Amino acid sequence: MTDKALRTPAALVDAGLAPAEELRALEAVAARYAMAIPPAIAALIEPADPNDPIARQFIPSPAELTAGPGESADPIGDDAHSPVEGIVHRYPDRVLLKLVHVCPVYCRFCFRRAMVGPRGRPSLSRAQLDAAFAYIRAHAEIWEVILTGGDPLILSARKLRDIVSALAAIDHVRVIRIHSRVPVAAPERVTPALVRAVRAAGRATYVVLHANHPRELTAAARSACARFIDAGVPMLSQSVLLKGVNDDLDTLGALMRTFVEARIKPYYLHHADLAPGTAHLRTTLADGQALMRGLRARLSGLCQPAYVLDLPGGAGKVPVGPTYLRREPADAAPHSYRIDDLCGQPHVYPPADG
């Protein structure tokens, strides 16, 4: 397949997606962090809109060269929990298996931006992959393996089939989860052969789609997702809360509804990580909690993701959504609670007698 992705700032300028006067500044960004914008994504960008939410996710910005407080090249501590190359074992019953460190499109907010791309870490060698499988076989507590990277769906169907088959042959691995942007960024890659490759008899396979704006769910993207779902591979979503992209209730709600209409269950809404040069894209936790309250008040329960934060340094993912359970009033009966309803009005539960 011919690679028609835009991979340099000069290509962005030639395509009319960046002004010529910014070329030198954008080249400085691209020298530090990978960029690639495939045709499916480039077609979504509105060059005349200086605040276009698609461009904001993928077009480099000079702001990326400014490091903010607390930012880190490994903001969620992958390396601290990596017993062998390619494995991250942060939680008892599951591991990440990072097969590759390249993607069809590079997000400007990526928390692994210092590790991915043509100048990033190499893909796993055969020996490293065998060592990763050996680690998984030796740890019977591992129930789920999450294929990530990079984007595992850039692998050939044959390579992916071999990896999924090897994992399915490990008795205690019951679930295989694949995180990808491919159905959105390169939907043509989701061929019948690729769909067959991710399935394994006797094992549950899930594909988790990363998308952040409803415009990303084009007809081609929805068709690619349908090929997985119609073949019996359930899909979930993960999104990142991003300033100027989806940090208003109408856009975020439309995104969640678009997922559900495509038979994709909203799973995670990530608070943006402290990756270097991404402060201009992060919201506050208070803003995120307010948006989650709005989603709960407006939309079906099917449309509710878990709002989560990966604690810096590797302490793990925790829910940070709003709480509706408040301290019981000082004069209340024992074991009673004050609970806010969806309009923010407090109620005592159980109700007082009389």
Side-chain angles (χ1 to χ4, degrees):
M1 185 180 298
T2 303
D3 181 8
K4 296 181 180 179
L6 305 173
R7 295 187 179 275
T8 65
L12 292 179
V13 172
D14 290 345
L17 298 180
E21 57 269 23
E22 290 187 6
L23 178 58
R24 181 169 294 184
L26 298 184
E27 285 177 338
V29 178
R32 184 177 299 182
Y33 303 117
M35 68 157 284
I37 303 176
I41 295 295
L44 296 177
I45 296 172
E46 298 287 350
D49 181 1
N51 300 310
D52 180 68
I54 307 300
R56 193 162 170 81
Q57 293 183 68
F58 304 113
I59 300 290
S61 165
E64 295 174 48
L65 298 176
T66 302
E71 293 180 346
S72 164
D74 185 15
I76 69 169
D78 276 359
D79 287 348
H81 295 275
S82 183
V84 299
E85 192 67 34
I87 292 285
V88 179
H89 197 174
R90 194 188 327 268
Y91 307 103
D93 72 339
R94 57 204 182 276
V95 295
L96 303 182
L97 177 53
K98 298 194 290 185
L99 297 167
V100 295
H101 286 90
V102 291
C103 302
V105 64
Y106 293 101
C107 306
R108 309 322 304 169
F109 50 88
C110 178
F111 68 97
R112 293 194 180 114
R113 62 192 330 220
M115 308 175 190
V116 299
R119 298 182 300 275
R121 297 182 180 180
S123 300
L124 294 186
S125 67
R126 181 71 250 180
Q128 289 170 331
L129 188 57
D130 287 343
F133 289 148
Y135 179 88
I136 295 168
R137 280 193 294 269
H139 288 263
E141 73 274 20
I142 296 174
W143 172 80
E144 179 183 26
V145 176
I146 302 163
L147 303 184
T148 182
D151 195 318
L153 290 189
I154 69 163
L155 294 170
S156 69
R158 179 192 59 77
K159 179 73 169 176
L160 199 58
R161 183 189 65 238
D162 291 347
I163 290 166
V164 169
S165 297
L167 292 171
I170 302 172
D171 186 63
H172 54 266
V173 173
R174 311 305 296 176
V175 178
I176 300 166
R177 193 191 332 163
I178 302 169
H179 286 213
S180 181
R181 255 197 184 278
V182 160
V184 161
E188 70 280 0
R189 289 194 59 85
V190 184
T191 62
L194 189 75
V195 172
R196 288 193 298 271
V198 306
R199 301 179 65 197
R203 298 295 183 268
T205 301
Y206 290 80
V207 171
V208 181
L209 175 68
H210 176 187
N212 299 315
H213 193 277
R215 274 169 42 200
E216 295 175 53
L217 276 296
T218 63
R222 291 195 301 271
S223 293
C225 294
R227 289 193 280 279
F228 282 120
I229 296 165
D230 290 343
V233 179
M235 289 192 66
L236 307 171
S237 77
Q238 62 174 355
S239 304
V240 181
L241 183 61
L242 297 167
K243 186 183 296 185
V245 174
N246 55 20
D247 63 332
D248 65 275
L249 189 53
D250 287 343
T251 301
L252 192 61
L255 174 62
M256 297 306 148
R257 281 182 166 172
T258 302
F259 282 139
V260 172
E261 290 166 8
R263 296 180 287 167
I264 300 168
K265 174 66 182 78
Y267 180 35
Y268 279 145
L269 177 65
H270 294 272
H271 190 77
D273 295 307
L274 293 170
T278 61
H280 60 293
L281 293 170
R282 286 196 298 275
T283 65
T284 66
L285 283 168
D287 288 341
Q289 290 179 330
L291 286 166
M292 289 302 299
R293 281 186 178 274
L295 288 184
R296 179 63 65 181
R298 282 193 186 187
L299 302 186
S300 163
L302 289 173
C303 299
Q304 308 297 321
Y307 181 39
V308 295
L309 169 70
D310 264 300
L311 290 168
K317 190 180 283 89
V318 293
V320 290
T323 179
Y324 297 84
L325 182 66
R326 302 167 63 187
R327 269 184 209 169
E328 61 181 81
D331 58 349
H335 309 298
S336 68
Y337 300 88
R338 180 170 292 179
I339 301 174
D340 293 341
D341 65 23
L342 298 182
C343 296
Q345 298 301 309
H347 301 263
V348 173
Y349 180 87
D353 292 338

